[in-house]
Amino acid sequence: MSDHGEHGDDGRGGPATEAFVAHRNLLFTVAYEMLGSAADAEDVLQETWLRWAGVDLSQVRDRRAYLVRITTRQALTRLRTLGRRKESYVGSWLPEPLLTAPDVAEDVELADSVSMAMMLVMETLTPTERAVFVLREVFDLGYDEIAEAVGKSPAAVRQTAHRARAHVAARRPRGAVSRTETRDALAAFQRAVETGDLQGLLDILAPDVVLLGDGGGIKQAVLRPVRGADKVARLMLGGLVKQPAAVSMEPVQVNGFPGLLVRLDGALDTVMAARFDDGLITGLYAVRNPEKLTRMRRRTVLHR
C-alpha cells in the first residue's frame, strides 16, 4: 500500500473509515436488497471494507458511488453462490426478516422495496436484473454508474432495467394499501387467530391466498406452499390448537410494513409478514428458521 495522496487507512479513523461509516447503512441496504439476507449483507460489507481500505482516495471522485460499486460487485458474486445454495434449501426459502424503525415506513419507496412481498418478487429476477433494478429504481443511480457497477455497457443496462421493471410490475402487489389498512387487516387476522374465529379469518384472506413457511430444515414448517383461504385458515387455527405452549402475538414493523412476532412461552418462534392485494391478504410468510430471526432483537437502520 503506497502512502502518497490521501490513501485508505488502517481502520483507526482516517478518511477511508469516515467515508465507509458515513455510508454504511446505505451499503447495507443495497446488499440486503440484492441478497434478501442480512447475514450475507454483513459479509459483503466486510469484503467491501477490505477492498476500500486499499484504495487510493486521491483517485476517487465520488466516494459514495465508488463504495456502492464495490458493494454491488461483491453482492453479485455472493448472489450467484446463494442461488446454488437455495437449490438445496429444505422447503421454501424466504428473505431474512428485519425489525425496522418507523422512519423506514415513512420512506414509501424504500419500505415498498424491502417489503417481504417485494423481496420475493425480486427473487424471480436474474442476479444482474436484480442489481440493475435495485440501483435504478430504489437508489436512483444513473445508467453510467450502474454500468460500471455491473460490468455492462450503459445501453445494455437500460435494456436490463426496462426488462426488470416490466417483470416486477407484472408481479408486484395490486391496489395500493395504506399502512393503516394493513395494520387494521393484520389486527383482524391476529384477533381471528387468537380467538379461533374461522369465519373472521376467511373474511380477511383472499380466496387464492398462499402461505409460505421457512423452517430451513431446523424448525417444522410447511414444505410446500399452501393455497386457498380454507386450507390456510384451518392450518393456522389447527397449528395453534396443537401447541402445548402459551402463544402470544405482537404487532411490529417487519421490513417497513406491519407484521407479527409469534412467541411460544415468551420465546420468539415465528415472524409473520403478509402481502395485501386490494385489501385482502394474498400472501402469508412465516419465517421460523432460527438462523433468520437474529435481526428481530434490535432494529435495523436502512437508508437510501
Side-chain angles (χ1 to χ4, degrees), residues 219-289:
K219 291 287 271 289
Q220 190 183 358
V222 291
L223 290 175
R224 280 177 295 281
V226 178
R227 299 176 192 279
D230 195 61
K231 276 187 189 167
V232 169
R234 289 178 192 282
L235 183 72
M236 291 294 306
L237 297 179
L240 284 184
V241 169
K242 288 185 202 137
Q243 284 296 343
V247 179
S248 67
M249 290 182 168
E250 177 194 349
V252 290
Q253 290 283 327
V254 177
N255 289 50
F257 277 85
L260 293 169
L261 295 188
V262 182
R263 298 182 194 279
L264 298 184
D265 286 337
L268 179 60
D269 178 81
T270 307
V271 173
M272 295 216 58
R275 169 176 169 151
F276 289 85
D277 288 271
D278 304 321
L280 293 174
I281 296 175
T282 53
L284 271 174
Y285 314 119
V287 184
R288 298 197 71 203
N289 181 348

Side-chain angles (χ1 to χ4, degrees), residues 142-242:
Y143 291 114
D144 291 352
E145 276 183 280
I146 299 171
E148 283 191 41
V150 300
K152 304 264 186 212
S153 71
V157 165
R158 275 178 192 276
Q159 279 188 316
T160 304
H162 179 74
R163 198 166 58 240
R165 206 177 293 124
H167 181 96
V168 169
R171 291 163 179 79
R172 74 188 318 156
R174 302 180 306 274
V177 184
S178 75
R179 207 153 299 280
T180 311
E181 284 177 286
T182 306
R183 202 172 49 241
D184 291 350
L186 265 183
F189 170 83
Q190 180 182 345
R191 229 174 11 253
V193 171
E194 286 174 340
T195 58
D197 177 4
L198 179 64
Q199 190 54 52
L201 208 45
L202 292 172
D203 289 344
I204 201 73
L205 298 175
D208 57 350
V209 63
V210 178
L211 167 69
L212 298 177
D214 180 341
I218 301 168
K219 291 287 271 289
Q220 190 183 358
V222 291
L223 290 175
R224 280 177 295 281
V226 178
R227 299 176 192 279
D230 195 61
K231 276 187 189 167
V232 169
R234 289 178 192 282
L235 183 72
M236 291 294 306
L237 297 179
L240 284 184
V241 169
K242 288 185 202 137

Side-chain angles (χ1 to χ4, degrees), residues 41-146:
E42 292 289 0
D43 287 347
V44 161
L45 257 60
Q46 289 286 332
E47 289 156 12
T48 299
W49 164 249
L50 291 173
R51 280 162 176 75
W52 176 243
V55 168
D56 181 352
L57 298 189
S58 66
Q59 304 300 307
V60 177
R61 282 196 319 279
D62 181 340
R63 293 176 184 184
R64 177 182 182 269
Y66 199 101
L67 279 162
V68 168
R69 193 157 76 230
I70 301 175
T71 301
T72 301
R73 285 180 180 168
Q74 297 306 315
L76 267 174
T77 303
R78 189 162 284 253
L79 190 56
R80 293 182 177 118
T81 310
L82 272 180
R84 291 191 287 277
R85 285 214 315 246
K86 282 175 201 163
E87 284 165 19
S88 56
Y89 196 81
V90 178
S92 300
W93 184 96
L94 289 172
E96 185 176 346
L98 303 178
L99 188 65
T100 48
D103 61 339
V104 173
E106 284 157 22
D107 183 341
V108 177
E109 281 183 2
L110 177 61
D112 181 53
S113 69
V114 295
S115 70
M116 292 290 272
M118 192 61 174
M119 296 285 281
L120 280 169
V121 171
M122 288 200 282
E123 280 294 311
T124 62
L125 297 169
T126 68
T128 304
E129 283 173 345
R130 186 162 181 171
V132 169
F133 182 84
V134 165
L135 295 179
R136 181 69 190 160
E137 298 299 311
V138 185
F139 297 95
D140 205 24
L141 262 61
Y143 291 114
D144 291 352
E145 276 183 280
I146 299 171

